[in-house]
Amino acid sequence: DFNERCAQCSEVNWGLTDGGRFYCRSCHNVTERSREVVNTDFISNTRIQAISKGLRKQEKNDGGSEWYVCEGFQLALKKQAEALEALGVCPQLKDEVLCNFWRCYLQKSKQAYCNRPAGETLKALSVCNSSTDVDSEPESPGPLHLLSLSESEGDLQTDCSFVSSTSKVSESTVFSGSVDGSLYLRKNQKDTLRMTMPMTLSFCYMALLWLRESMTLSDLLRFVVEGHIPYLNIFQHFPEKMKLCGLDLKIFCVESWPVYEEVYNKMLELAAFLDLPRFPDITDSCFLHPDMLCMKYLMEANLPDELHNWTCRVVKKICIGEVDYLTLVPGNKSTRKVKYDVLAAAVIVVVLKLLFLLDDHYEWLLSDFAEERNKNNKEGGPYFELKKWYKVIKCSLDVEQKKLDEERAKCLWRCEKPLFYSVKKKSKVLKRRQMVVSLQNQFGKLSSSVQPAEKPRPSSFQLRWSEENTDEICFHGHSLKGILQEKCGFLTTINPDYWLCTVKLCSEKLCGRVAHYREVDFPQSYHFVLRLFSFLLRVQPSYIHDEVCMIEQKLFHKKLCKKPKYNTVLKK
Amino acid sequence: SSHEHRLNFKKSKEVCLNYVQDAMLQKQWKRAAEFLTFYIESLEKDFSRECIGPSEMIWRIGTEILYRHSHSSMKEFSSFIEQMKTLGVKRYLKVCLEHAFHLLCNGLIDEAYQNLSLAESWQFGEQTAIQDKEMKLIQAYRGLLDYYSWSKQKNILLEHGLDGFEDLPAEQEMHHCFRKAAVNLKEIIKIPGVWDLFVKCYVDLLEFYGDRNEAHQVLSEYAYNSKFPANPNAHVYLYQFLKRHGESKKSLISVLKILHDIVPSHELMIDFNTMLQKSKKRKKRRLGLEVIFAALDYAGWKENVKAWNCMARQVKQIVISKKHLDWIKQEWNSRKDWWPAFHFSRYLAKRNWQGNESLSYEKALVAGILLGKDSKYFKYVSHQGCKAQVKRFRILKKFVNKHNPV
C-alpha cells in the first residue's frame, strides 16, 4: 500500500481515483502515482520493475487490464496447488515449495526478480497499438510463423475459430490479450525454458517430490484427467479482467492430455535449469520407496501379500532401494532417473515372472498343481492359484477398461466460457457455442443414463479388494506355499527358469528407448500383466516393459556378462 | 513414441463417433444420443475441409436418432433441423428438402409447403450446379403439393357442382394451383430421372384441362427418351393413357411390346396376350403365345387363373386348328425340362384341385396338351374332376384323349 505523506497536506490518507491514481482524501490532491493492480495472491507481484517505472496502464476499453503471460501461469499454479491441498497434500506445497520454485524459475528465465527482465526492451504488442509496435527484432520469426509452430500442447493453429486459414494474417492482427503473448512464443526454447501448460504439472510433481508426498506422477496425472486438478480450460479461473485472446490461446489452451513421459522429462529439465540441489532423501519409510509402492500395487492388483517378500528381495538384490539411487540429483546425467511408480510395477512383473515364468504354459500347470495341493490343504489359508486370480482380475480389468474407454470418448474439451481469437470472431464463436449448448441439451435429454452430477471422489486406489466382500475373491491373504518348495530349509520357487525380455538393452540416445515392445513377440500372460499395470498407471505397456528390461539386466547382470547365450531362457 | 497415444481433441472425437455409430448399428438410440451429446462440441472446431465434417455428421446422425427415438417429437425435430440449416451454406437446400420430407411423412403438409416456399426464395451468392438441382427438386415438390391442393379443390368443386352450387373464388383458386403446379412439374420432368409421381400428376392436370397432345408428348418423352433410365412404369402410364383415350390397338400393342421386353412378368401381359390372340396378323398371335409362356415362367404367376386361362385358350385353339403346332413346340422346347416339375407335379395337382378348381381345370388342359394324357397332373385332376362329376372335366378328358400330345 501507498504510505507516503501527501505533498500538500502531509497526511497519509489515500484513496483511488477511477483512473487508478492515488489521491489524498484530506485535500483531494491527485498524485501521479498509479496503484499497481495488487495481486492478492500468495506470491507478490512479479512485475516489480513495471511498478516503479509506472509502465502499467490500468483499465483498457474492454474492461480488461494488462497482464503478462507469467502471471497467467502463476495463477494456474496457484489453482493447482490449492487443488492438491484439497486432495490432502500438505499446505507447505502451496505456501512454500511451489512458490519458491516458481520464483526461482522467473529469476532464471529473466522474467522477473532481476535487473532487466527480458520483456523490458521489447515493445509490447497489445490490441490497441498493434500496428505501431512491431519492428523490434527483424530476424525473429514473423507472426505467421508463430501461428504455424506446432506446439505440443495442441493443434490450435488449425482451429478455424481461432485463426482463419484462408485469410491472410497481417501484422496488425497478430496480437494477444496479454502484454507479451506474441513475444512469449518467439522465445527460443533452448535459452530459457519456456513455460507451457504441461510444465505446470512438472512443477507440481517436482514440488510433490521435494516434499516426498504420497502421490506418484501417475496419480497426479490421473487426478488431472479426472478433473480434480485444474488443467484443461485453466483460464476459467483467471479473473474477468484478464482477457485472453489471440496468441494467449496458444499458450494457455490445451487440447490434449499430458503424457507421463513428457511431464517427467520436463521436470528433470526444470530441476536442472533451476540448479536445484539434491532433493530430500527417499528412504525406505517414504511412500515412493519401491518397497512401499510395491505393497500398494500388490494390494491393488489383488495379489497375495506374501509376494511383498519377493519384491523386497529383488529390490535389495539390485540395490534399487538405496537412498542414493532413489533420490533425485538434478543435472547429474550419469545416474538413471527413477520413475517410482513404473519401477515398482516393473518389480512386481519381474517377481511374477520369477515365480510363474509366464510363458503361457508353465503358469497354468503350476496353478493346477497349486489347486491339487489346495485340496489337501486343511490348515491355514488357501494356496494362491493363478488361474482363479486371472479370471477375477481379467473380469474387473475388462469392466474398468471399458469404462475408461467410454470416459475418454466422452471427454469434453470446451467449457462454458468461450474463447475467441479476436474480437472479430467473437460473435461467430458465441453463436456456435450457443448452438452447441442447445444441441447438447436436446440430445442429453434423450440419453439413457442419468449423468452423475459430481465427479467421482478422488482416490489413490482404483481397484479395491476386501476379504469381507463375498462376491469377489480377495487374494491378499492367500499363501504362495502352493507354488513354492522347500530346499535346504528355504522356500524357493518351483519354477527353475526365467526368460529375459531382451538380451541387450538399446541405447536411449540412439533409439530413444531402452527396448521396443511388441505385443505379438511376447507371451499373452506377460502382456496381460503389463496391461494390468498399464491400466493402473495410465501409461503404455511398453513403458513398463522398458523398466522390466532394465531390472532384468541388473538382476541377471553376472550371468549375462559371462557368456552371451543365444538362448534367452536362463536357469536361475 | 508415447505421443501417438496421447489423447487429444481430434482423437477423442473420433473415438466418440465410433461409439455413436456402434450404438446406431445396434439400434440403441438412447446410447447413440448419449455419445452424440459429447460429439457435438466438434462443431466448434469445424474446418469444413474434410469430406464429411462434424456439421454433416451431426445433421445426419441427429436426424436419424430423432427419427427413431421414442421420446422425440416433431416439434423437437423441427427445432433441430432449423439449427442444422444455419450450419452450412452449401447444405441449406438439402436440409430444407429433407425437412420437408419428414414433415410430409408426418402428415404436416401445410408446414412442408411453407418450408419449401421459404427454401425456394433463398438466395446466397452464386449457386453451384448441385444447388441448382436441389433448387429444382424443391420447386418440384412444391409443385407436387400445389397439385395436391388443386386436386382437393377439384373434388370439392365437383361435389358442389353435383349439388348445383357454384363457387367462383374457389374455382379461381383451383386454377391458380394448377398453374403453379404445372410450371414446376413440367420443369422437373425435363431432367433425366425417375419422376413417376410427378409425371402422373402432371398428366392428370393436362388431361383435366383437355391438353391431350401435351400429355401424350410428355408420356412419350418419359417412356422413349433414351436419356432417361429404363423405367417400366413409364410404358405402363403411356399405355393406360392411350387406352383411356381409345387409341388404336396397334399403338397399344407397340407400347406393351416394349414392356414385355423389359418386364416379361408384368401384370399387363394378360391384357397384352388377350389383344394379341385376337389379332388377325399371324406374327401378333405368335407373339401372344410367346408373351404368355414368358409370363408363366415366373413363380408369381403360378396360381394366376387368368393367365392359365389365356394360355389354355390359345393352345387349345392352336390344337383344334391344327395349324402352327410348331409354335407350341418352339415354346415348349426350352421349357420341357423344368415346367413339368415347376407347374405340373402331382403335388401341385392335388394342391390346385383342393384350392381352386378353375385353376386346376385350366392347368390340366394345358398339361394335357403339352404333356399328353399320361401326365401326372392331367391324370390326377381329370380323375378327380370326373369323380366329382363336374361336366367340364369329362369334356376335357375326351378332348385330350382325342388329340395327340405335342
Side-chain angles (χ1 to χ4, degrees):
Chain A
D1 257 349
F2 194 35
N3 281 325
E4 280 190 14
R5 287 190 176 279
C6 170
Q8 255 177 244
C9 67
S10 303
E11 293 277 331
V12 184
N13 186 5
W14 299 105
L16 270 179
T17 65
D18 285 340
R21 297 228 176 95
F22 287 109
Y23 74 97
C24 178
R25 284 203 190 96
S26 314
C27 64
H28 299 284
N29 171 32
V30 181
T31 70
E32 285 303 300
R33 298 286 289 274
S34 44
R35 186 177 190 243
E36 181 51 48
V37 174
V38 173
N39 204 336
T40 51
D41 297 338
F42 68 102
I43 300 175
S44 58
N45 197 285
T46 56
R47 302 303 300 186
I48 298 170
Q49 298 289 337
I51 294 174
S52 57
K53 297 214 172 142
L55 283 175
R56 181 179 285 263
K57 284 205 292 255
Q58 279 312 299
E59 298 291 308
K60 296 201 288 201
N61 300 341
D62 55 355
S65 62
E66 288 190 350
W67 59 280
Y68 290 82
V69 168
C70 57
E71 280 181 76
F73 279 119
Q74 190 168 293
L75 206 51
L77 283 172
K78 178 177 170 242
K79 288 292 166 190
Q80 287 169 344
E82 281 171 4
L84 283 169
E85 197 178 329
L87 286 173
V89 170
C90 69
Q92 245 186 317
L93 183 132
K94 184 179 87 133
D95 299 333
E96 288 175 31
V97 179
L98 193 57
C99 71
N100 281 331
F101 281 158
W102 177 244
R103 235 179 248 151
C104 185
Y105 168 76
L106 287 174
Q107 210 168 11
K108 296 267 180 187
S109 61
K110 299 192 183 2
Q111 287 177 77
Y113 296 106
C114 53
N115 287 327
R116 254 196 37 173
E120 263 256 84
T121 53
L122 298 161
K123 294 176 185 127
L125 289 173
S126 69
V127 185
C128 315
N129 313 330
S130 50
S131 49
T132 55
D133 297 338
V134 157
D135 60 7
S136 39
E137 287 165 41
E139 64 271 16
S140 67
L144 281 168
H145 173 69
L146 282 174
L147 294 169
S148 64
L149 281 173
S150 60
E151 294 288 328
S152 58
E153 50 263 45
D155 49 347
L156 288 171
Q157 72 276 13
T158 55
D159 191 328
C160 82
S161 71
F162 293 157
V163 179
S164 163
S165 58
T166 50
S167 66
K168 292 270 174 197
V169 180
S170 62
E171 286 285 331
S172 57
T173 57
V174 176
F175 51 79
S176 55
S178 63
V179 174
D180 57 340
S182 57
L183 231 63
Y184 201 80
L185 289 171
R186 285 190 219 192
K187 273 194 223 168
N188 191 345
Q189 267 280 38
K190 287 187 194 142
D191 299 341
T192 60
L193 199 57
R194 192 172 73 217
M195 187 65 180
T196 61
M197 275 310 293
M199 233 162 100
T200 59
L201 298 177
S202 301
F203 266 95
C204 288
Y205 178 58
M206 199 164 70
L208 286 167
L209 185 57
W210 186 271
L211 287 167
R212 297 175 291 181
E213 281 287 336
S214 316
M215 194 186 291
T216 62
L217 180 54
S218 57
D219 288 335
L220 175 67
L221 293 175
R222 185 165 55 87
F223 291 145
V224 169
V225 172
E226 286 176 0
H228 303 298
I229 298 177
Y231 182 76
L232 210 59
N233 300 322
I234 191 85
F235 54 86
Q236 276 183 295
H237 300 281
F238 289 1
E240 255 311 299
K241 54 183 172 7
M242 258 169 109
K243 303 277 180 201
L244 259 85
C245 64
L247 289 168
D248 299 330
L249 273 51
K250 240 178 132 44
I251 300 168
F252 289 103
C253 299
V254 281
E255 287 189 342
S256 63
W257 291 117
V259 160
Y260 186 108
E261 206 171 345
E262 183 190 358
V263 177
Y264 180 74
N265 289 336
K266 222 21 165 219
M267 189 271 293
L268 297 176
E269 225 180 302
L270 190 57
F273 178 72
L274 298 181
D275 269 332
L276 293 177
R278 177 180 161 119
F279 272 52
D281 286 348
I282 305 283
T283 61
D284 53 16
S285 57
C286 289
F287 177 78
L288 296 172
H289 191 277
D291 288 341
M292 291 288 239
L293 279 177
C294 279
M295 189 70 236
K296 181 193 182 241
Y297 293 144
L298 283 170
M299 278 172 72
E300 233 179 326
N302 201 8
L303 287 166
D305 296 340
E306 279 182 27
L307 281 172
H308 191 238
N309 303 330
W310 293 86
T311 64
C312 289
R313 278 169 73 179
V314 170
V315 166
K316 192 153 179 208
K317 182 106 197 249
I318 59 176
C319 305
I320 58 172
E322 311 276 301
V323 173
D324 290 332
Y325 177 80
L326 292 170
T327 307
L328 176 64
V329 181
N332 184 346
K333 297 232 169 105
S334 58
T335 56
R336 189 161 201 279
K337 305 303 177 208
V338 181
K339 305 180 201 103
Y340 307 97
D341 35 20
V342 184
L343 182 65
V347 167
I348 297 177
V349 173
V350 168
V351 164
L352 289 173
K353 277 175 80 178
L354 282 168
L355 293 173
F356 299 100
L357 190 57
L358 296 184
D359 66 344
D360 279 345
H361 192 65
Y362 189 82
E363 66 270 25
W364 308 121
L365 292 175
L366 202 57
S367 181
D368 289 338
F369 181 64
E371 192 186 341
E372 275 303 309
R373 279 173 118 176
N374 248 333
K375 285 184 190 157
N376 303 328
N377 177 23
K378 304 294 175 206
E379 32 152 272
Y383 295 144
F384 177 71
E385 290 173 45
L386 191 73
K387 245 188 215 171
K388 284 196 181 143
W389 174 83
Y390 176 81
K391 281 189 196 149
V392 170
I393 291 293
K394 180 165 200 319
C395 193
S396 296
L397 185 60
D398 286 345
V399 166
E400 294 300 316
Q401 186 72 53
K402 183 163 178 240
K403 265 196 240 165
L404 184 65
D405 291 338
E406 286 195 8
E407 259 156 61
R408 286 157 74 102
K410 291 188 189 174
C411 189
L412 277 180
W413 299 90
R414 299 291 166 100
C415 61
E416 297 92 46
K417 187 172 171 185
L419 286 174
F420 7 90
Y421 185 77
S422 67
V423 177
K424 274 187 242 162
K425 300 266 177 187
K426 184 171 176 174
S427 64
K428 193 172 168 198
V429 169
L430 282 177
K431 248 209 257 170
R432 253 317 144 95
R433 178 105 274 261
Q434 225 177 5
M435 186 190 293
V436 164
V437 170
S438 147
L439 288 173
Q440 282 173 334
N441 283 337
Q442 183 170 33
F443 286 98
K445 281 194 211 127
L446 297 175
S447 298
S448 46
S449 56
V450 177
Q451 301 291 334
E454 290 162 20
K455 296 180 283 217
R457 284 191 63 240
S459 159
S460 188
F461 280 81
Q462 294 174 72
L463 298 173
R464 263 183 222 84
W465 312 94
S466 112
E467 250 119 47
E468 286 99 50
N469 184 357
T470 47
D471 291 335
E472 281 170 343
I473 314 179
C474 174
F475 293 91
H476 295 157
H478 287 215
S479 166
L480 292 178
K481 283 209 201 99
I483 53 145
L484 298 173
Q485 60 184 346
E486 269 214 43
K487 252 187 184 174
C488 317
F490 288 104
L491 277 177
T492 63
T493 67
I494 296 178
N495 170 33
D497 294 328
Y498 192 92
W499 56 270
L500 287 174
C501 288
T502 177
V503 177
K504 193 171 162 205
L505 294 177
C506 285
S507 154
E508 265 181 297
K509 282 196 192 130
L510 295 173
C511 296
R513 323 180 66 98
V514 155
H516 303 274
Y517 178 69
R518 281 194 327 162
E519 190 186 330
V520 293
D521 296 338
F522 291 89
Q524 287 178 37
S525 301
Y526 177 70
H527 180 72
F528 175 75
V529 170
L530 283 187
R531 219 187 99 203
L532 173 59
F533 289 105
S534 164
F535 166 78
L536 290 175
L537 300 183
R538 304 281 199 269
V539 295
Q540 289 299 307
S542 54
Y543 213 50
I544 303 175
H545 174 80
D546 284 0
E547 209 73 8
V548 171
C549 291
M550 193 273 296
I551 292 174
E552 286 177 349
Q553 289 293 311
K554 281 201 164 94
L555 196 56
F556 296 104
H557 182 70
K558 285 193 200 134
K559 292 220 166 94
L560 285 168
C561 283
K562 266 188 207 165
K563 249 197 296 186
K565 269 191 179 168
Y566 204 73
N567 187 355
T568 55
V569 176
L570 294 179
K571 294 285 174 202
K572 297 190 307 234
Chain B
S1 78
S2 59
H3 291 273
E4 288 122 35
H5 306 284
R6 172 205 294 273
L7 188 68
N8 59 14
F9 191 105
K10 188 170 168 211
K11 207 165 195 177
S12 78
K13 291 311 164 201
E14 273 172 25
V15 171
C16 188
L17 195 59
N18 284 338
Y19 276 99
V20 174
Q21 289 167 337
D22 272 346
M24 287 177 76
L25 283 171
Q26 295 174 50
K27 301 198 202 297
Q28 294 170 329
W29 306 110
K30 287 192 185 137
R31 190 174 153 88
E34 186 182 338
F35 280 96
L36 187 66
T37 309
F38 294 98
Y39 179 74
I40 281 168
E41 61 172 11
S42 304
L43 284 177
E44 292 182 280
K45 271 176 92 81
D46 191 352
F47 310 145
S48 307
R49 250 182 269 155
E50 298 131 17
C51 35
I52 302 187
S55 307
E56 182 147 2
M57 279 292 183
I58 289 170
W59 166 44
R60 293 203 183 277
I61 293 177
T63 302
E64 191 67 21
I65 292 176
L66 285 171
Y67 185 59
R68 307 274 191 169
H69 198 289
S70 45
H71 290 189
S72 86
S73 66
M74 203 55 215
K75 194 167 150 217
E76 260 194 55
F77 187 85
S78 286
S79 114
F80 170 73
I81 287 277
E82 289 300 331
Q83 289 186 66
M84 292 299 106
K85 284 180 189 170
T86 67
L87 270 185
V89 158
K90 287 194 200 134
R91 214 172 294 119
Y92 178 78
L93 290 174
K94 245 193 281 191
V95 179
C96 283
L97 202 53
E98 256 205 30
H99 189 196
F101 291 158
H102 273 99
L103 290 166
L104 286 173
C105 288
N106 282 277
L108 298 165
I109 298 179
D110 289 333
E111 282 191 37
Y113 191 84
Q114 277 168 29
N115 259 286
L116 290 170
S117 303
L118 205 64
E120 227 184 311
S121 62
W122 180 79
Q123 272 183 353
F124 191 93
E126 290 169 28
Q127 302 225 2
T128 64
I130 296 175
Q131 282 174 324
D132 244 1
K133 284 199 181 148
E134 287 166 4
M135 188 53 98
K136 283 233 161 69
L137 271 178
I138 286 175
Q139 288 165 335
Y141 276 96
R142 208 197 53 132
L144 205 60
L145 291 180
D146 282 324
Y147 166 84
Y148 179 70
S149 305
W150 171 87
S151 181
K152 268 203 300 190
Q153 283 286 52
K154 180 191 78 169
N155 290 335
I156 292 173
L157 283 171
L158 282 176
E159 269 183 39
H160 287 181
L162 289 173
D163 296 337
F165 292 131
E166 247 196 32
D167 191 344
L168 277 172
E171 242 189 75
Q172 283 196 338
E173 172 68 31
M174 188 187 91
H175 295 317
H176 184 56
C177 284
F178 156 70
R179 275 191 290 276
K180 283 197 287 180
V183 156
N184 286 323
L185 292 174
K186 183 173 179 172
E187 272 306 302
I188 199 72
I189 60 182
K190 281 191 201 158
I191 306 175
V194 178
W195 306 114
D196 287 358
L197 187 59
F198 300 87
V199 165
K200 271 173 74 171
C201 294
Y202 187 46
V203 165
D204 189 26
L205 287 173
L206 291 170
E207 282 189 288
F208 183 81
Y209 286 91
D211 195 347
R212 240 216 282 175
N213 286 333
E214 176 71 11
H216 193 172
Q217 171 81 349
V218 162
L219 288 169
S220 301
E221 256 300 290
Y222 194 52
Y224 297 129
N225 186 342
S226 57
K227 285 200 193 121
F228 282 68
N231 183 356
N233 294 335
H235 302 275
V236 173
Y237 298 154
L238 182 56
Y239 167 77
Q240 287 168 341
F241 173 81
L242 295 172
K243 194 163 170 204
R244 269 200 300 277
H245 295 281
E247 294 291 324
S248 68
K249 278 272 179 334
K250 185 171 173 196
S251 51
L252 291 176
I253 285 175
S254 75
V255 174
L256 286 178
K257 170 84 174 58
I258 301 178
L259 187 60
H260 161 72
D261 288 335
I262 309 176
V263 189
S265 58
H266 200 279
E267 59 182 359
L268 283 175
M269 292 302 109
I270 292 184
D271 290 15
F272 194 31
N273 170 272
T274 311
M275 264 193 276
L276 290 168
Q277 272 194 48
K278 292 191 198 144
S279 169
K280 295 205 174 80
K281 300 226 171 89
R282 193 161 29 108
K283 260 196 188 158
K284 295 277 188 300
R285 293 198 305 272
R286 175 72 185 88
L287 178 61
L289 194 65
E290 186 186 316
V291 163
I292 196 65
F293 262 96
L296 284 166
D297 278 339
Y298 290 85
W301 290 84
K302 274 168 99 164
E303 304 196 341
N304 190 314
V305 183
K306 265 200 249 166
W308 285 106
N309 175 265
C310 286
M311 169 76 93
R313 252 190 303 129
Q314 193 159 15
V315 296
K316 183 175 177 185
Q317 193 272 323
I318 290 174
V319 163
I320 290 175
S321 74
K322 292 198 176 33
K323 275 204 279 197
H324 308 303
L325 287 165
D326 55 311
W327 289 358
I328 300 183
K329 277 205 183 101
Q330 279 164 16
E331 290 300 327
W332 185 237
N333 208 22
S334 59
R335 291 172 171 94
K336 63 179 188 256
D337 294 326
W338 61 283
W339 268 42
F342 190 55
H343 286 303
F344 304 124
S345 65
R346 190 162 189 282
Y347 166 76
L348 281 171
K350 238 176 146 180
R351 200 177 118 134
N352 295 153
W353 170 252
Q354 281 164 358
N356 188 340
E357 194 196 284
S358 303
L359 174 68
S360 62
Y361 171 79
E362 303 292 347
K363 278 181 78 175
L365 174 52
V366 176
I369 292 175
L370 293 174
L371 294 165
K373 61 183 191 290
D374 291 325
S375 100
K376 284 181 266 190
Y377 195 95
F378 172 77
K379 266 166 93 171
Y380 180 86
V381 171
S382 59
H383 176 75
Q384 294 293 326
C386 291
K387 211 166 75 171
Q389 299 195 332
V390 180
K391 186 173 175 190
R392 57 180 175 167
F393 283 96
R394 264 188 297 157
I395 302 175
L396 171 64
K397 206 167 178 181
K398 275 196 209 148
F399 177 82
V400 171
N401 283 329
K402 188 165 148 197
H403 294 90
N404 291 322
V406 171

